Amino acid sequence: MVELLEIAPLDQLFSHFRYQLTLRSTEGNYRSLILFRLSTSQDVPNYDQERGEEETQLEKESDPSARLNTNGRQLYAMEATCPHLGAELSHAEIEDCGDSVVAVCPWHRYDFDLRTGKSETGLKACTFAVYVNVDDRGVEMVSLETPNEGSGWRLVELRPVSEGISCVMLLEFADPPRLSSPSIKKDTQIECTPLVEDEPVVPLENPPKTLMQWGVLILNTPNPTLKVERTRHAVHLFRTGKLKSIGHKSANAPRPPEVPSRDASWMRNLETDPTKVKHRKNKAVMLHALANIEQWAIDLAWDIMVRFGPLHPDIPPAFFHDFTKMALDEAKHFSFLTTRLSAISPSTPYGSMPVQASLWESATTTSHSLRARLAIIHLVHEARGLDVNPGTIDRFRRAGDIDTVKAMEVIHSDEVTHVTSGHRWFMWICEQQGINPEDGGVVRAFREEVKKNFRGEIKGPFNVEARETAGMTRDFYENLRGEFTEFYPERFDLLFQIHPHRETTNESSYNIGYLITYAVSSAV
């Protein structure tokens, strides 16, 4: 019997033509799919009724793939990466090919039938039957056939894929909120802030040709606006097959900087202790603090790719798909928050208030190990963000700032997928190291990394539901305390050049959740 997984009400899928789906099984297996909706009208006639019941039944008996789209809604589900070299298919071209419709990979033009997955090259992509059934409430619900491997599959992400026109100066972010601020365009695109004078998005000399080269360039870009634009551009090139390669298998892959560059205005306002801004009790302080965290998050997404990609040349291309998406999300979040900061307090643009750099210590202490980086940054810091985001949203709502509430709701939804990616690749690295998840080995490995590389208690209260959606069950984080005590001030000379005698702050200041909680409590 075919196991079906309910995706969403049909009428909720009319806003876009493509959706990214992430599924996870009870065993911890992940599958990424693309749901294509080819119909241009909500009123699509029933496919079976048009062709006749007898003709349709004969086709089903001779070709099992005909189970797909018998509802006439032209819904197709296919694995999200090309079986040739793992290119992302979210931006594949859709073409009519005789009696079939094919998705054409943007990297090498391999074509795959959306119904059968077959290609003229001899390769075959996995496809999954899509159904539309009316539930007990009379609502048309979209469901799809689950993968054969694994059981208890659940949907952990349903993300629309934006297909807007892109260019060097402005690339559309995926589904930003409809804000009423004059600085937000009505077509939901974020208005670009001025770029650095005479410094283009694409360098005029020796422009990057691989994803690794773009990542290092972005890490070495001090201006945050230019960092955002370069992130948008690099991810677009990667998704549309415009890059020469990922570049992580090259013997000459570039190395990331020890500390990402920051512009002069940021450095002038660098504080060693975030509590020193507590006297400035307003929303602008909080937005500025949150934007600062998102700027670091952009760098963290690029750093994990360029630092560990060359060390793991056999890592699947999906790793880079997940973390380029994360980098793009963080750039979007930074733009949301700085836009709101500009609307609320035009006299205090980003970079004009005290900022901190505590988060990068965790990046430095985990620079030796992909497993440690995934555990501490993505399954401790980002997971803590899931705990405190609802409280942050509620405070903005009580303050009557509905535009910021909308932005923060998008941010929170995105962050759940980031923790999901952290969990997915932590599971992968554990598998490579021969760790068995069935006997609790993955949980033990995570707790071991926290004890070695994190300082202090993993504090609640926990957003159990959001954490569980991302794959983190209670046994990962309850009753857990990090025992890390070492500190290497020489690693921070570049970052703290204006504070050469930096005092070690208390253990909580290194927790992203603490930083958000503090900003909220002192500002709203």
Side-chain angles (χ1 to χ4, degrees), residues 123-140:
L123 294 176
K124 187 176 187 297
C126 292
T127 55
F128 302 86
V130 182
Y131 301 88
V132 177
N133 298 307
V134 179
D135 66 12
D136 296 338
R137 302 165 297 172
V139 176
E140 290 185 301

Side-chain angles (χ1 to χ4, degrees), residues 386-462:
L386 302 185
D387 302 333
V388 301
N389 281 340
T392 305
I393 294 170
D394 187 57
R395 288 175 181 269
F396 276 116
R397 183 178 287 109
R398 293 203 307 267
D401 189 348
I402 302 305
D403 285 347
T404 301
V405 167
K406 294 177 182 178
M408 288 299 301
E409 287 175 340
V410 172
I411 291 172
H412 179 67
S413 178
D414 288 345
E415 298 294 352
V416 173
T417 70
H418 298 175
V419 180
T420 300
S421 295
H423 180 266
R424 174 184 186 179
W425 295 105
F426 190 83
M427 296 282 289
W428 179 87
I429 193 66
C430 286
E431 180 182 0
Q432 303 306 301
Q433 297 171 350
I435 298 172
N436 185 359
E438 295 182 1
D439 64 0
V442 172
V443 171
R444 288 195 298 272
F446 170 74
R447 295 176 75 90
E448 176 185 331
E449 293 295 349
V450 173
K451 289 181 179 179
K452 291 191 302 184
N453 297 291
F454 186 77
R455 181 184 300 117
E457 181 184 358
I458 304 298
K459 297 180 178 179
F462 302 110

Side-chain angles (χ1 to χ4, degrees), residues 82 84 87-89 92-93 103-112:
C82 176
H84 176 217
E88 185 175 323
L89 294 178
E93 295 180 16
V104 182
C105 174
W107 281 13
H108 299 101
R109 305 296 299 173
Y110 281 37
D111 60 318
F112 300 93

Side-chain angles (χ1 to χ4, degrees), residues 500-522:
H501 303 293
R502 172 181 181 267
E503 298 177 0
T504 302
T505 59
N506 65 68
E507 63 188 33
S508 296
S509 69
Y510 295 102
N511 188 310
I512 189 170
Y514 166 81
L515 295 172
I516 297 174
T517 303
Y518 174 77
V520 173
S521 62
S522 65

Side-chain angles (χ1 to χ4, degrees), residues 143-357:
S143 302
L144 60 81
E145 186 178 15
T146 58
N148 291 326
E149 72 280 7
S151 61
W153 288 94
R154 65 176 296 177
L155 178 70
V156 295
E157 178 183 16
L158 175 63
R159 171 188 289 264
V161 176
S162 290
E163 302 173 76
I165 297 174
S166 60
C167 62
V168 172
M169 295 298 294
L170 178 62
L171 298 180
E172 183 186 51
F173 278 144
D175 306 302
R178 298 179 180 274
L179 307 182
S180 61
S181 168
S183 60
I184 301 295
K185 293 183 177 181
K186 292 182 179 179
D187 63 0
T188 76
Q189 293 181 335
I190 297 295
E191 183 175 291
C192 294
T193 52
L195 297 180
V196 179
E197 186 177 359
D198 298 327
E199 188 170 359
V201 172
V202 181
L204 299 179
E205 296 184 4
N206 300 317
K209 295 181 174 61
T210 69
L211 188 67
M212 296 295 97
Q213 291 172 357
W214 269 107
V216 171
L217 173 65
I218 291 166
L219 287 166
N220 285 313
T221 299
N223 181 274
T225 301
L226 185 57
K227 185 187 294 287
V228 166
E229 294 303 321
R230 283 177 168 168
T231 293
R232 293 173 170 178
H233 187 69
V235 175
H236 175 69
L237 294 178
F238 178 56
R239 288 178 171 178
T240 55
K242 302 294 197 309
L243 294 178
K244 178 181 178 181
S245 68
I246 294 174
H248 66 299
K249 297 183 180 181
S250 170
N252 299 317
R255 297 296 300 161
E258 288 299 317
V259 179
S261 299
R262 290 292 183 269
D263 65 9
S265 65
W266 189 94
M267 293 300 296
R268 281 195 301 270
N269 290 289
L270 180 63
E271 288 282 2
T272 60
D273 186 350
T275 62
K276 290 186 177 181
V277 299
K278 63 183 180 180
H279 63 283
R280 305 185 69 171
K281 296 180 182 293
N282 55 61
K283 289 186 293 184
V285 171
M286 175 167 43
L287 290 169
H288 195 281
L290 295 176
N292 178 56
I293 293 172
E294 297 294 349
Q295 185 181 3
W296 282 115
I298 300 171
D299 289 322
L300 287 167
W302 286 111
D303 186 81
I304 196 172
M305 289 185 280
V306 301
R307 186 174 301 278
F308 297 107
L311 299 179
H312 299 273
D314 295 330
I315 199 165
F319 174 84
F320 301 98
H321 298 319
D322 281 357
F323 283 95
T324 51
K325 182 184 84 68
M326 192 179 299
L328 189 63
D329 283 348
E330 308 295 13
K332 176 180 68 176
H333 301 169
F334 178 84
S335 297
F336 282 176
L337 294 166
T338 53
T339 297
R340 292 302 304 143
L341 176 64
S342 175
I344 289 173
S345 181
S347 62
T348 57
Y350 181 71
S352 64
M353 297 184 190
V355 291
Q356 51 74 37

